[in-house]
Each structure stands twice: as structure tokens, then as C-alpha cells.
Amino acid sequence: MKSGRIIKVSGPLVVAEGMEDANVYDVVEVSDKKLIGEIIEMRGDEASIQVYEETTGIGPGDVVTSTGFPLSVELGPGLIEQMFDGIQRPLEILRQEGGDFLQRGAEVKHLNRQKKWDFKPVAKVGDEVSEGDVLGTVQETPVVVHKIMVPIGLKGKLIDIKEGQFTVEDTVAIIENEKGKRELNMIQRWPVRQGRRYKKKIDPKTPLVTGQRVIDTFFPITKGGTAAIPGPFGSGKTVVQHQLAKWADAQIVVYVGCGERGNEMTDVLMEFPELIDAHTGESIMKRTVLIANTSNMPVAAREASIYTGITISEYYRDMGYSVAMMADSTSRWAEALREMSGRLEEMPGDEGYPAYLASRVADFYERAGRVICLGSDEREGALSVIGAVSPPGGDISEPVTQSTLRIVKIFWKLDYDLSYRRHFPAINWMDSYSLYQDKMDKYFDENVNEDFSKNRKRAMGLLQEETSLQEIVRLVGRDSLSDQDQLKLEVTKSIREDFLQQNAFHDIDTYCSTQKQFKMLETILEFYDEALAALDKGAYISEIEDLPVREKISRMKVITEDNLDEFENLKEEVRNDLRKLVEGGGTINA
Ligand code: ADP
Ligand code: MG
């Protein structure tokens, strides 16, 4: 293909002329340094290119050559446990080859070419196979079986299939169709800006259990669901994302970090391998792909990283897995869009973001969902996407938050006030919502306890009443409230502190099963019912507030998962203590 010449360099944006053979979204090599870029606009023979690497030292006259291919990722064994940059270069290799600074234009391979994988055939010679059919499997890590699938768009008769040790480039199968023979290895390429196809989308049905009480019980997410976590700096977005990466019951986790703080991704790098997945007993890295943009990487690479992440996620979804992708934070991606748009001198929309911001955000979240995958076995896959948003000053009326909220089904709103009071996770229970609530109520009622949603609604109702009661207290003081209302405030305080607050850094409290979540809330509500009955029979509110069992309720968070029977004793104690307060103890109707 004919090369063009640079006529202008503006930060990460390069304009080249003589590019009439190239197309929008083609990947290009810029200058003899072979920097990687992508054409984002064509005007006549002039191409505007966003460059994914530092452009210092590049100038007018330098050559630009189109590869003729769109920005793509390599999909195949070896993705899991890897840490990539925004355009899927393994960080480890970039570091080794380029010292601590990422080498520019380094022609690194995305997937390891040396490693041999044990390929076990599933399909047989003579089978008619088509897109998505599983040809064979590779044990990628102790917990992930990688399915080698017929690439999208291909079908034919299987005329050869191998068994044994192969690298990703070795031929493992040969398919024949009217166009001839096609040798297949274990690598598929896919353009990142295009969603991978599936048979059809189906409604999410099961929760993605996160082990975080305020999420699972109050604002649940589904396998295949979409959630946004907007919140100001320091309100706990990253901690929530980490908690999901560590604890959510997804089979595969893809974590895209867009580096709000310099050392944030380094923390992930150090911490994740140490963490043991409670579901498998292995390091969580054995099911995780990390994509990292440190703050010193060019903005354009951040823009690409979201797409690299979601394409890898879709690929594992296509194998029939439940995948969860976290993006922290999508605001950094939107800012990259804004910067490129500004340099292209496009007409700015709201707050300088391009007019197409909302549709880009929508297109991205549309790629989530629960689907019937391609392939004749009708397997089901799910991709949940959870995006953090960092609105400047925490003002959620800004364009990125607004366009995100228009498309996602779950809103976990992080509050500065709550985080300031060290109420973590600082998810505001009045403003947050989950549009999957009804469906998840049904699921939890059937699978955890028939009273699950009843209790949740009751607790939520009490918290709503709390707001107006607190207003009264502010105006005329607590003593003006009836004993019943004072009790209500005691109980809502308990719901907030003993249930909703959850310490991500506490060994036991960091994860809470839905069983335990149910029992914790049930205990608080049991206390409420017994206390109401005691008040009715003449007990004093001050006596109720001083009961030692209150202290025990505040410590129920640390009851371990293998010791949930403890809750029966605790409830027994609640009943006994409260009944003792009234004359002739134990006469309150049960
Ligand atoms: P953000 O990403 O919104 O800027 P972080 O996730 O980095 O905020 O959280 C800031 C700090 O808040 C953390 O370093 C931690 O001290 C505290 N924090 C957040 N969530 C929790 C939690 N669930 N449990 C305990 N501490 C938390
Ligand atoms: Mg953060």
C-alpha cells in the first residue's frame, strides 16, 4: 500500500496527506519509528490519525503507512493472567524490552508465541462445522478451559484435527469449503470497535453475586447486566470495582484500569496475584485479564483500552462463560474522546465533549448482555459491564454521567458525604437503583429465603422514613418523637451501620454470602419486631437502647460463613433479652 507523508503533528493527533488508499479505522505505522496509530477521520487524501504512543520527535515529512486492517485484538490461549496495555501489548514484555519506559513502536506480539498448549479435540474429522462451534479445548489455567472455536464467518467440513502440544500459531484443524482448504490455528483476530456476533440476546435471569451487601440485597446486578458507579474523587469507586473483581461470581474477569492515580494500577498488579478466589481456591489472576493505562500513557491508548477490554470479554462470553468487565474510570475514556475531538476541531457539544459522546457510550454498554452464543450447542454466555464514572466535583448532571445513566440498568451512586463520614461502601441508598430488582427479588426468594425480598423492602421502607424523622429531630429534638419513632431511628441506624456498611479491608467482612446477608437483615428486623412488642407491653425505649444484645448485633458482620448457625443463637438472645424487659418475661406472643 502507498505511503503518505505527515503534514501536521498536534500532540497525539497526526495528519498525513497522500493517504487516498486508506480507510477510516485503519491501523497505520507512523514514521520509521513505526508508532502505532489509527485513522479516525478521512478528508480527501488527508487522514487524521490518533497515535497510541508518544509523538515527540515526529514531524512533517515523516512517512505514514496503512496496514489496511482495523485496530484488532488477538484472541486465543494466553490472555488470562496477562496484563496488557490499551492496545493489547503485554506490559511485561514491553518492560523487558524497553526498560522501565514503554518502548515506542515496539513490535511485540500480543499472545505468547513460544508457549505450548495441550489441545484436546472435541470435533471429529468429517463434521460439518460453522462459526462458534467448538473444535477443541485447552486448559488455559487451572480454572479456565479455553474453547477453540470456529472463527466467526467460517464454515465447512472438518478434514483434519490435531491432538497434543501446540503453540498458538501451529495448525490444529483444517476446514474445507467451496473456497478451498483453510488451516486454523488457535488465534482469532477481531476488530475492537465492532461487537462480536451472537445468536440472540436474552433477558438476564440470575444475579451476579458480589458478596457486597448493599449491592446484592439492595441494588443487585445480573449476569449480563450493566451498572454505573459515579462518584467524586475518594468516594470509593476503585474499591467497589476491586471488590467486584475479587468477589463477584463471574467465571472470567476483565479489569480495565484507566489510571486515575499514578500508582493505582501498580497496586492492582501487586495485590491481585496474592488474592485467593473463594470459589476456586486459586489466585484470582487465574481467571483475570488486566488492561492497564497508567497516567503517563498517551490519551489515545486509554480510548482504545475500553474496546480492547470489551472485545476480550466478548470472546470469553462466546465460549459460554459468565464474564464481568470493570472499567475504571470511563470518564478518562470520554476525556480522551474530547481531547481528540478538540484537536480535530469538531463542533463541540456539552462541556466540550463531542456530540457523538452519548452514542459512543451507548454502543459500548450495548455490548453487554446475556446471549445465546454462536455454535450449534446453543450455549449461553453473559457479559456484565460495570463502569466507574468520575464526574468533576461529583456533579452527576455532567454529560458523561448522564449519557451513561441513560443506558445502564443499575446506578450505584457514591456520595461524598457518606465517604466523609466513613460510611463505606458509600453507595447512597436513597438515590441508587437497580432496574433488575423485581426479577432478582424472585430469584433470591426462591434461592436464598422466601422472605428475602420482603425483608429488603421493609428495610428500605424504614430507611425512607428515617429521612423525614431525622428532619423532625433536627427541628424539634429527639425527645419529641414517640417511643416507636425513636425505636425506628435506632433500627435504621442499625441497618446502616450493622448491615450496609461493609469494610473491604476486613478479612471476614470483605465478602458476605447472600445467606449471611439475609440472616443479618433478618436479625435486625427480628430485633425491631420484638422491641416494638416490648414497647407495647410497657418497656422503656431507654432500656431497649441499652440492651447488651445490641452490641452483639453490631458484631454479627464477623460471624464466619461456616458458622451461620450463630445467627439462630443471636436471634434467640434478641427474643430473650427483649421479653425479659417486660413483666413476666416470655409472654409476648411469638
Ligand atoms: P475513588 O476511586 O472514588 O477515588 P477509592 O476507591 O480510591 O476512591 O477509595 C478511597 C478510599 O476510601 C480508600 O482508599 C479507602 O480508604 C476508602 N474506602 C472506600 N471503600 C471502602 C470500603 N468498602 N471499605 C473500607 N474503606 C473504603
Ligand atoms: Mg479511583
Side-chain angles (χ1 to χ4, degrees):
M1 194 170 280
K2 196 167 135 292
S3 295
R5 294 271 167 197
I6 294 181
I7 52 174
K8 180 180 148 193
V9 178
S10 152
L13 180 77
V14 161
V15 182
E17 63 181 6
M19 298 292 291
E20 60 274 13
D21 291 347
N23 293 303
V24 172
Y25 295 135
D26 279 1
V27 168
V28 295
E29 288 175 350
V30 177
S31 89
D32 52 3
K33 296 197 177 76
K34 290 192 190 303
L35 303 188
I36 300 167
E38 183 187 12
I39 299 180
I40 51 178
E41 192 184 74
M42 288 290 303
R43 275 186 206 156
D45 74 332
E46 277 183 23
S48 298
I49 298 154
Q50 61 177 347
V51 182
Y52 294 120
E53 301 175 84
E54 269 310 322
T55 52
T56 37
I58 306 293
D62 287 350
V63 269
V64 174
T65 314
S66 171
T67 60
F69 294 105
L71 186 66
S72 301
V73 282
E74 273 187 4
L75 303 166
L79 290 168
I80 305 282
E81 281 188 271
Q82 266 297 351
M83 182 151 195
F84 296 109
D85 74 354
I87 49 173
Q88 209 205 359
R89 296 178 298 182
L91 289 186
E92 204 49 45
I93 293 175
L94 283 175
R95 284 229 175 76
Q96 283 163 12
E97 292 185 350
D100 259 346
F101 291 95
L102 300 182
Q103 194 176 310
R104 293 197 296 177
E107 288 173 319
V108 283
K109 298 283 190 235
H110 304 297
L111 291 174
N112 185 323
R113 296 298 199 264
Q114 280 81 46
K115 184 165 171 139
K116 292 206 165 177
W117 302 94
D118 192 18
F119 178 81
K120 292 202 167 65
V122 170
K124 298 181 304 298
V125 169
D127 286 355
E128 289 293 339
V129 292
S130 69
E131 53 183 12
D133 283 342
V134 178
L135 292 169
T137 61
V138 157
Q139 191 78 44
E140 187 172 7
T141 71
V143 298
V144 177
V145 173
H146 194 113
K147 295 176 184 162
I148 306 299
M149 300 171 286
V150 176
I152 295 177
L154 186 68
K155 70 179 194 185
K157 190 189 202 116
L158 191 62
I159 58 167
D160 189 19
I161 187 150
K162 303 277 196 334
E163 172 161 16
Q165 305 282 321
F166 301 97
T167 71
V168 287
E169 285 179 312
D170 292 336
T171 298
V172 291
I174 302 174
I175 284 175
E176 184 169 39
N177 58 25
E178 63 288 350
K179 290 187 196 132
K181 287 181 188 167
R182 170 96 177 260
E183 294 188 354
L184 296 179
N185 60 21
M186 291 192 261
I187 303 177
Q188 294 193 20
R189 284 191 183 73
W190 191 262
V192 295
R193 298 192 189 275
Q194 202 179 318
R196 280 175 63 86
R197 293 209 326 266
Y198 44 80
K199 270 195 193 137
K200 69 170 188 212
K201 240 181 204 180
I202 45 182
D203 271 348
K205 184 178 70 178
T206 49
L208 180 72
V209 175
T210 67
Q212 312 304 304
R213 291 185 287 272
V214 61
I215 294 179
D216 296 340
T217 299
F218 273 33
F219 309 108
I221 175 167
T222 51
K223 294 198 168 82
T226 47
I229 321 176
F233 190 75
S235 58
K237 299 179 294 294
T238 300
V239 174
V240 171
Q241 295 271 43
H242 284 197
Q243 287 299 92
L244 297 193
K246 290 173 196 169
W247 301 116
D249 66 340
Q251 289 162 300
I252 307 286
V253 169
V254 177
Y255 191 96
V256 181
C258 292
E260 301 237 274
R261 281 167 235 196
N263 56 357
E264 211 161 71
M265 280 319 289
T266 328
D267 290 350
V268 173
L269 249 183
M270 309 286 280
E271 189 195 6
F272 276 28
E274 305 282 314
L275 292 165
I276 300 302
D277 178 0
H279 307 291
T280 64
E282 293 279 348
S283 155
I284 62 166
M285 284 308 291
K286 301 288 175 196
R287 59 164 168 81
T288 303
V289 184
L290 292 176
I291 295 166
N293 287 279
T294 52
S295 33
N296 58 357
M297 290 182 192
V299 289
R302 288 190 219 153
E303 202 271 323
S305 65
I306 291 276
Y307 294 102
T308 297
I310 199 151
T311 309
I312 292 173
S313 304
E314 286 173 331
Y315 175 62
Y316 282 94
R317 172 206 66 192
D318 291 347
M319 293 179 204
Y321 290 127
S322 154
V323 183
M325 169 172 164
M326 287 103 210
D328 182 21
S329 133
T330 58
S331 296
R332 298 284 93 86
W333 159 51
E335 281 158 19
L337 271 186
R338 175 167 67 183
E339 175 165 349
M340 294 317 293
S341 168
R343 289 184 191 273
L344 284 173
E345 291 166 13
E346 290 172 342
M347 177 90 82
D350 237 2
E351 293 186 24
Y353 287 102
Y356 47 80
L357 171 72
S359 71
R360 290 283 168 89
V361 171
D363 289 348
F364 168 70
Y365 282 101
E366 285 289 348
R367 291 171 73 169
R370 176 169 166 244
V371 305
I372 304 287
C373 307
L374 294 178
S376 46
D377 60 359
E378 300 281 307
R379 59 186 182 270
E380 227 182 84
L383 168 53
S384 316
V385 176
I386 301 116
V389 190
S390 350
D395 171 16
I396 64 164
S397 68
E398 60 88 41
V400 184
T401 314
Q402 285 305 313
S403 41
T404 306
L405 290 183
R406 238 171 274 141
I407 182 94
V408 300
K409 298 274 201 294
I410 300 162
F411 174 38
W412 295 321
K413 178 172 177 267
L414 294 182
D415 259 8
Y416 174 76
D417 283 351
L418 289 174
S419 63
Y420 184 76
R421 298 193 328 243
R422 306 216 51 84
H423 174 115
F424 288 118
I427 296 180
N428 180 306
W429 52 88
M430 301 303 282
D431 298 340
S432 300
Y433 58 80
S434 164
L435 299 180
Y436 303 109
Q437 190 98 64
D438 288 349
K439 211 168 252 174
M440 292 306 101
D441 276 350
K442 191 160 170 281
Y443 179 92
F444 286 124
D445 289 350
E446 282 168 9
N447 292 279
V448 179
N449 190 291
E450 55 185 14
D451 288 334
F452 194 97
S453 67
K454 193 184 86 189
N455 287 354
R456 194 261 308 155
K457 285 176 194 153
R458 210 172 153 209
M460 193 64 113
L462 287 167
L463 289 173
Q464 271 154 8
E465 288 180 63
E466 181 186 42
T467 317
S468 42
L469 286 178
Q470 275 170 341
E471 192 56 26
I472 298 173
V473 171
R474 235 188 321 274
L475 293 173
V476 287
R478 192 179 174 106
D479 292 341
S480 62
L481 293 183
S482 68
D483 285 359
Q484 278 72 11
D485 281 345
Q486 290 188 43
L487 173 64
K488 206 173 267 172
L489 286 181
E490 279 299 306
V491 171
T492 52
K493 179 163 178 272
S494 176
I495 295 173
R496 284 186 284 110
E497 293 179 1
D498 307 331
F499 184 76
L500 292 180
Q501 289 186 14
Q502 186 169 358
N503 186 349
F505 308 106
H506 185 283
D507 280 350
I508 298 169
D509 201 28
T510 185
Y511 174 85
C512 185
S513 68
T514 48
Q515 272 298 340
K516 183 174 165 189
Q517 298 185 24
F518 173 76
K519 286 175 189 290
M520 287 176 72
L521 198 52
E522 189 187 43
T523 305
I524 296 171
L525 293 172
E526 176 103 21
F527 175 86
Y528 184 40
D529 287 336
E530 290 290 337
L532 271 178
L535 278 182
D536 247 14
K537 303 234 158 173
Y540 294 105
I541 182 72
S542 54
E543 290 177 307
I544 293 174
E545 285 169 6
D546 290 343
L547 282 178
V549 73
R550 291 287 317 277
E551 163 74 16
K552 289 201 176 155
I553 291 177
S554 75
R555 276 187 281 117
M556 66 186 169
K557 290 175 181 176
V558 299
I559 294 176
T560 51
E561 294 290 341
D562 56 6
N563 208 14
L564 296 185
D565 287 345
E566 256 317 291
F567 281 98
E568 295 314 310
N569 302 336
L570 184 57
K571 282 188 292 179
E572 184 67 32
E573 215 170 309
V574 165
R575 283 191 288 272
N576 288 339
D577 278 17
L578 280 154
R579 288 174 195 194
K580 263 187 250 153
L581 284 184
V582 279
E583 274 176 332
T587 54
I588 298 168
N589 58 320

mmCIF file of all heavy atoms in Angstrom, residues 63 82 111 122 135 145 191 221 227 239 269 283 309 328 353 356 364 385 403 421 431 489:
data_model
loop_
_atom_site.group_PDB
_atom_site.id
_atom_site.type_symbol
_atom_site.label_atom_id
_atom_site.label_comp_id
_atom_site.label_asym_id
_atom_site.label_seq_id
_atom_site.Cartn_x
_atom_site.Cartn_y
_atom_site.Cartn_z
ATOM 1 N N VAL A 63 7.023 9.436 7.022
ATOM 2 C CA VAL A 63 6.089 8.543 6.312
ATOM 3 C C VAL A 63 5.014 7.967 7.232
ATOM 4 O O VAL A 63 5.256 7.714 8.409
ATOM 5 C CB VAL A 63 6.778 7.310 5.669
ATOM 6 C CG1 VAL A 63 7.201 7.575 4.275
ATOM 7 C CG2 VAL A 63 7.875 6.797 6.545
ATOM 8 N N GLN A 82 -2.757 -12.320 31.975
ATOM 9 C CA GLN A 82 -1.904 -11.323 31.355
ATOM 10 C C GLN A 82 -2.280 -9.926 31.809
ATOM 11 O O GLN A 82 -3.391 -9.673 32.250
ATOM 12 C CB GLN A 82 -2.042 -11.384 29.834
ATOM 13 C CG GLN A 82 -0.998 -12.242 29.162
ATOM 14 C CD GLN A 82 0.413 -11.717 29.366
ATOM 15 O OE1 GLN A 82 0.640 -10.611 29.869
ATOM 16 N NE2 GLN A 82 1.375 -12.548 28.996
ATOM 17 N N LEU A 111 -0.042 -12.277 21.870
ATOM 18 C CA LEU A 111 -0.086 -13.555 22.591
ATOM 19 C C LEU A 111 1.286 -14.212 22.527
ATOM 20 O O LEU A 111 2.012 -14.066 21.542
ATOM 21 C CB LEU A 111 -1.115 -14.496 21.952
ATOM 22 C CG LEU A 111 -2.589 -14.115 22.094
ATOM 23 C CD1 LEU A 111 -3.461 -15.080 21.284
ATOM 24 C CD2 LEU A 111 -3.023 -14.128 23.558
ATOM 25 N N VAL A 122 -12.410 -31.730 20.180
ATOM 26 C CA VAL A 122 -13.797 -32.018 20.543
ATOM 27 C C VAL A 122 -14.536 -32.461 19.281
ATOM 28 O O VAL A 122 -15.253 -33.447 19.258
ATOM 29 C CB VAL A 122 -14.478 -30.771 21.152
ATOM 30 C CG1 VAL A 122 -15.980 -30.993 21.308
ATOM 31 C CG2 VAL A 122 -13.852 -30.407 22.500
ATOM 32 N N LEU A 135 -14.035 -26.545 18.377
ATOM 33 C CA LEU A 135 -13.188 -27.537 17.715
ATOM 34 C C LEU A 135 -12.428 -28.356 18.745
ATOM 35 O O LEU A 135 -12.224 -29.551 18.570
ATOM 36 C CB LEU A 135 -12.175 -26.826 16.809
ATOM 37 C CG LEU A 135 -12.750 -26.125 15.577
ATOM 38 C CD1 LEU A 135 -11.700 -25.254 14.924
ATOM 39 C CD2 LEU A 135 -13.285 -27.158 14.591
ATOM 40 N N VAL A 145 -11.100 -23.414 31.139
ATOM 41 C CA VAL A 145 -10.961 -24.230 29.943
ATOM 42 C C VAL A 145 -11.242 -23.315 28.749
ATOM 43 O O VAL A 145 -12.322 -22.751 28.627
ATOM 44 C CB VAL A 145 -11.956 -25.406 29.948
ATOM 45 C CG1 VAL A 145 -11.901 -26.148 28.611
ATOM 46 C CG2 VAL A 145 -11.646 -26.357 31.097
ATOM 47 N N PRO A 191 -11.730 -6.999 15.123
ATOM 48 C CA PRO A 191 -11.640 -5.540 15.230
ATOM 49 C C PRO A 191 -12.355 -5.047 16.488
ATOM 50 O O PRO A 191 -13.532 -5.371 16.700
ATOM 51 C CB PRO A 191 -12.336 -5.028 13.969
ATOM 52 C CG PRO A 191 -13.166 -6.164 13.479
ATOM 53 C CD PRO A 191 -12.547 -7.436 13.976
ATOM 54 N N ILE A 221 -27.079 -6.679 40.752
ATOM 55 C CA ILE A 221 -26.717 -6.698 39.330
ATOM 56 C C ILE A 221 -26.893 -8.123 38.826
ATOM 57 O O ILE A 221 -26.766 -9.075 39.595
ATOM 58 C CB ILE A 221 -25.277 -6.174 39.103
ATOM 59 C CG1 ILE A 221 -24.895 -6.314 37.628
ATOM 60 C CG2 ILE A 221 -24.248 -6.857 40.004
ATOM 61 C CD1 ILE A 221 -23.636 -5.557 37.227
ATOM 62 N N ALA A 227 -23.929 -1.664 34.893
ATOM 63 C CA ALA A 227 -24.019 -0.797 36.064
ATOM 64 C C ALA A 227 -23.046 0.365 35.934
ATOM 65 O O ALA A 227 -21.970 0.226 35.358
ATOM 66 C CB ALA A 227 -23.697 -1.581 37.331
ATOM 67 N N VAL A 239 -12.395 1.059 44.947
ATOM 68 C CA VAL A 239 -12.551 -0.037 45.916
ATOM 69 C C VAL A 239 -13.747 -0.918 45.531
ATOM 70 O O VAL A 239 -13.658 -2.145 45.557
ATOM 71 C CB VAL A 239 -12.675 0.495 47.360
ATOM 72 C CG1 VAL A 239 -12.985 -0.642 48.323
ATOM 73 C CG2 VAL A 239 -11.386 1.194 47.790
ATOM 74 N N LEU A 269 -1.564 -4.718 40.201
ATOM 75 C CA LEU A 269 -0.551 -5.683 39.793
ATOM 76 C C LEU A 269 0.020 -6.469 40.958
ATOM 77 O O LEU A 269 0.243 -7.666 40.882
ATOM 78 C CB LEU A 269 0.607 -4.928 39.157
ATOM 79 C CG LEU A 269 0.867 -5.071 37.680
ATOM 80 C CD1 LEU A 269 2.100 -4.302 37.294
ATOM 81 C CD2 LEU A 269 1.010 -6.527 37.310
ATOM 82 N N SER A 283 -5.475 -18.369 42.819
ATOM 83 C CA SER A 283 -5.301 -16.918 42.729
ATOM 84 C C SER A 283 -6.343 -16.359 41.763
ATOM 85 O O SER A 283 -6.655 -16.981 40.741
ATOM 86 C CB SER A 283 -3.908 -16.591 42.200
ATOM 87 O OG SER A 283 -3.897 -15.320 41.584
ATOM 88 N N GLY A 309 -10.673 -4.202 26.013
ATOM 89 C CA GLY A 309 -11.237 -4.946 27.143
ATOM 90 C C GLY A 309 -12.549 -5.617 26.803
ATOM 91 O O GLY A 309 -12.760 -6.795 27.109
ATOM 92 N N ASP A 328 -12.486 1.355 34.955
ATOM 93 C CA ASP A 328 -12.253 2.372 35.986
ATOM 94 C C ASP A 328 -11.208 3.347 35.484
ATOM 95 O O ASP A 328 -10.049 3.006 35.406
ATOM 96 C CB ASP A 328 -11.769 1.692 37.263
ATOM 97 C CG ASP A 328 -11.557 2.669 38.405
ATOM 98 O OD1 ASP A 328 -12.132 3.768 38.354
ATOM 99 O OD2 ASP A 328 -10.820 2.322 39.355
ATOM 100 N N TYR A 353 -17.472 18.044 25.140
ATOM 101 C CA TYR A 353 -17.476 16.667 24.649
ATOM 102 C C TYR A 353 -18.075 16.658 23.254
ATOM 103 O O TYR A 353 -18.954 17.469 22.949
ATOM 104 C CB TYR A 353 -18.300 15.760 25.577
ATOM 105 C CG TYR A 353 -17.604 15.473 26.876
ATOM 106 C CD1 TYR A 353 -17.962 16.144 28.036
ATOM 107 C CD2 TYR A 353 -16.572 14.544 26.927
ATOM 108 C CE1 TYR A 353 -17.311 15.897 29.232
ATOM 109 C CE2 TYR A 353 -15.916 14.283 28.126
ATOM 110 C CZ TYR A 353 -16.282 14.960 29.272
ATOM 111 O OH TYR A 353 -15.636 14.712 30.440
ATOM 112 N N TYR A 356 -21.154 13.086 19.579
ATOM 113 C CA TYR A 356 -21.372 11.637 19.494
ATOM 114 C C TYR A 356 -21.028 10.910 20.794
ATOM 115 O O TYR A 356 -21.046 9.690 20.847
ATOM 116 C CB TYR A 356 -20.601 11.023 18.314
ATOM 117 C CG TYR A 356 -19.159 11.476 18.210
ATOM 118 C CD1 TYR A 356 -18.181 10.900 19.009
ATOM 119 C CD2 TYR A 356 -18.780 12.477 17.323
ATOM 120 C CE1 TYR A 356 -16.855 11.320 18.929
ATOM 121 C CE2 TYR A 356 -17.446 12.899 17.230
ATOM 122 C CZ TYR A 356 -16.489 12.314 18.039
ATOM 123 O OH TYR A 356 -15.188 12.729 17.953
ATOM 124 N N PHE A 364 -21.081 1.149 23.512
ATOM 125 C CA PHE A 364 -20.204 0.367 24.379
ATOM 126 C C PHE A 364 -21.028 -0.528 25.323
ATOM 127 O O PHE A 364 -20.829 -1.740 25.372
ATOM 128 C CB PHE A 364 -19.291 1.304 25.168
ATOM 129 C CG PHE A 364 -18.565 0.636 26.290
ATOM 130 C CD1 PHE A 364 -17.563 -0.281 26.017
ATOM 131 C CD2 PHE A 364 -18.903 0.896 27.605
ATOM 132 C CE1 PHE A 364 -16.897 -0.926 27.056
ATOM 133 C CE2 PHE A 364 -18.242 0.253 28.644
ATOM 134 C CZ PHE A 364 -17.239 -0.655 28.369
ATOM 135 N N VAL A 385 -21.155 -5.492 32.510
ATOM 136 C CA VAL A 385 -20.201 -4.391 32.423
ATOM 137 C C VAL A 385 -20.469 -3.382 33.531
ATOM 138 O O VAL A 385 -21.609 -2.942 33.726
ATOM 139 C CB VAL A 385 -20.267 -3.684 31.052
ATOM 140 C CG1 VAL A 385 -19.321 -2.492 31.031
ATOM 141 C CG2 VAL A 385 -19.903 -4.648 29.931
ATOM 142 N N SER A 403 -25.023 10.514 30.015
ATOM 143 C CA SER A 403 -25.181 9.587 28.889
ATOM 144 C C SER A 403 -25.012 8.143 29.349
ATOM 145 O O SER A 403 -25.588 7.231 28.760
ATOM 146 C CB SER A 403 -24.260 9.928 27.721
ATOM 147 O OG SER A 403 -23.002 10.300 28.186
ATOM 148 N N ARG A 421 -18.115 10.591 56.111
ATOM 149 C CA ARG A 421 -18.464 10.021 57.425
ATOM 150 C C ARG A 421 -17.935 8.598 57.568
ATOM 151 O O ARG A 421 -18.287 7.891 58.513
ATOM 152 C CB ARG A 421 -19.987 10.026 57.604
ATOM 153 C CG ARG A 421 -20.533 11.422 57.567
ATOM 154 C CD ARG A 421 -21.986 11.547 58.045
ATOM 155 N NE ARG A 421 -22.865 10.432 57.809
ATOM 156 C CZ ARG A 421 -23.964 10.491 57.027
ATOM 157 N NH1 ARG A 421 -24.287 11.586 56.407
ATOM 158 N NH2 ARG A 421 -24.735 9.433 56.896
ATOM 159 N N ASP A 431 -30.826 7.294 46.449
ATOM 160 C CA ASP A 431 -30.768 7.670 45.030
ATOM 161 C C ASP A 431 -30.401 6.517 44.097
ATOM 162 O O ASP A 431 -30.653 6.585 42.903
ATOM 163 C CB ASP A 431 -29.711 8.777 44.824
ATOM 164 C CG ASP A 431 -30.064 10.034 45.602
ATOM 165 O OD1 ASP A 431 -31.248 10.172 45.956
ATOM 166 O OD2 ASP A 431 -29.161 10.859 45.844
ATOM 167 N N LEU A 489 -35.655 4.919 64.621
ATOM 168 C CA LEU A 489 -34.347 5.520 64.330
ATOM 169 C C LEU A 489 -33.194 4.637 64.804
ATOM 170 O O LEU A 489 -32.139 4.576 64.172
ATOM 171 C CB LEU A 489 -34.236 6.912 64.968
ATOM 172 C CG LEU A 489 -35.033 8.020 64.269
ATOM 173 C CD1 LEU A 489 -34.839 9.356 64.977
ATOM 174 C CD2 LEU A 489 -34.610 8.142 62.806
#
